[in-house]
Amino acid sequence: METDESDRYRAPALDKGLDILELLAGVDSGLTQAEIAKRLDRSPNEFYRMLDRLVRRGYVTRLDGDRYSLTLKLFGLAQLHAPVRRLASYATPLMRDLAQRTRQANHLAVFDRGAAVVIAQQEAPDYWGFSIRIGAHISLFDTGSGHVLLAFRSEEEREMMVSEHVRSRADVELGPEFYDRLDQIRERGYEMMASAQTSGVYNLSAPVLGPDRRCIAALTCPFIALVNAPSAPDITQAITLVQKAAAQLSLLAGADVVNSG
């Protein structure tokens, strides 16, 4: 009996899981188990265990109890692949120049599975400064990087990012003021906020935009006033420099942007 070459190494369970992911990727409001089965022309019972595993592994989330929707976990995994390493390599000379011009440290963060993750970091050129280590996971809700990553995304993407973060911090409540702030950040083009973690530090953050003008990374300078360096840029000058560096990096990433300042 002849066997089709394409079926020789079939993995039915894997195919079933991929079918679900591909289906949900094209749906905005999620689907019930019965709707998934109908669209894939299968029995609903065939998908119960698979959906349970996809939810437990974070690839799918439940909406309103009985609807399933794709999370951004696959997006996060892709973010940490070669394109992100390439983005970090493009950013390195720009971040080094930014550190020299501002006399401050800076770092680059991307969204990954519910948090902002630092993928590149540049120390301050002088003997002391404030910096965050590469690989650190930082909050979306109370950091400049997190605010910028959320602000420059569509409402749907923003809600998915928030839902991934909140799942591990169920005590977080986001009111209309938070979303108003995100809209203000998008309008002015940057975030400037006092650090919620360290007294005396201000987060100066600007978006790195991709070809579709969606935020793919946040460039942040944790600004501290240098009392022993009166010629160093002040906070207003520093945010302009951060915006310019982020715009340059956006151009390298293929975005059509206008330099700020």
Side-chain angles (χ1 to χ4, degrees):
M1 177 177 166
E2 270 186 41
T3 302
D4 188 334
E5 188 68 25
S6 64
D7 284 343
R8 177 173 294 182
Y9 302 110
R10 288 182 68 243
L14 177 59
D15 285 336
K16 194 181 300 182
L18 293 174
D19 286 343
I20 293 172
L21 294 177
E22 290 173 358
L23 174 62
L24 292 178
V27 176
D28 291 336
S29 56
L31 295 170
T32 65
Q33 183 178 334
E35 289 169 336
I36 292 171
K38 183 176 180 181
R39 294 201 186 193
L40 295 178
D41 195 23
R42 308 283 283 272
S43 165
N45 293 335
E46 292 185 55
F47 293 104
Y48 176 78
R49 291 177 62 187
M50 182 61 67
L51 283 169
D52 181 69
R53 295 314 305 166
L54 289 172
V55 169
R56 290 178 182 273
R57 294 293 297 268
Y59 292 96
V60 171
T61 188
R62 284 192 178 92
L63 303 174
D64 302 324
D66 63 346
R67 302 186 73 80
Y68 295 88
S69 179
L70 199 64
T71 71
L72 290 181
K73 184 171 183 178
L74 285 172
F75 173 76
L77 292 175
Q79 288 270 317
L80 295 181
H81 195 41
V84 170
R85 293 197 298 272
R86 188 159 60 248
L87 178 64
S89 69
Y90 287 155
T92 298
L94 294 173
M95 294 172 67
R96 187 181 303 120
D97 181 67
L98 177 62
Q100 291 292 334
R101 290 176 181 273
T102 60
R103 309 283 290 276
Q104 307 277 345
N106 60 77
H107 57 269
L108 189 70
V110 299
F111 176 79
D112 176 45
R113 285 171 283 179
V117 181
V118 177
I119 63 167
Q121 185 266 344
Q122 183 65 45
E123 298 283 354
D126 295 326
Y127 60 86
W128 75 285
F130 183 84
S131 60
I132 299 178
R133 63 177 174 79
I134 292 176
H137 286 61
I138 55 182
S139 172
L140 292 178
F141 303 145
D142 55 11
T143 66
S145 295
H147 287 182
V148 164
L149 288 169
L150 288 170
F152 292 85
R153 288 299 184 96
S154 69
E155 288 187 15
E156 182 182 59
E157 290 175 311
R158 184 184 293 176
E159 286 307 308
M160 289 179 68
M161 294 164 74
V162 168
S163 69
E164 289 209 0
H165 192 115
V166 169
R167 192 167 49 204
S168 60
R169 288 180 56 178
D171 57 328
V172 173
E173 293 185 11
L174 303 176
E177 299 84 4
F178 179 77
Y179 292 97
D180 287 344
R181 185 181 185 93
L182 296 184
D183 291 339
Q184 292 166 13
I185 293 167
R186 189 181 186 106
E187 183 175 346
R188 68 174 175 252
Y190 64 87
E191 171 66 302
M192 179 187 292
M193 60 176 284
S195 171
Q197 293 77 33
T198 307
S199 178
V201 175
Y202 280 81
N203 294 327
L204 311 181
S205 304
V208 177
L209 303 175
D212 56 2
R213 296 191 58 78
R214 291 158 65 246
C215 183
I216 59 175
L219 180 62
T220 298
C221 168
F223 182 90
I224 51 177
L226 302 174
V227 296
N228 63 337
S231 62
D234 62 21
I235 193 169
T236 303
Q237 295 168 320
I239 187 57
T240 298
L241 292 169
V242 172
Q243 284 185 275
K244 286 183 175 180
Q248 287 179 290
L249 187 51
S250 297
L251 289 174
L252 290 174
D256 181 14
V257 299
V258 177
N259 286 341
S260 304

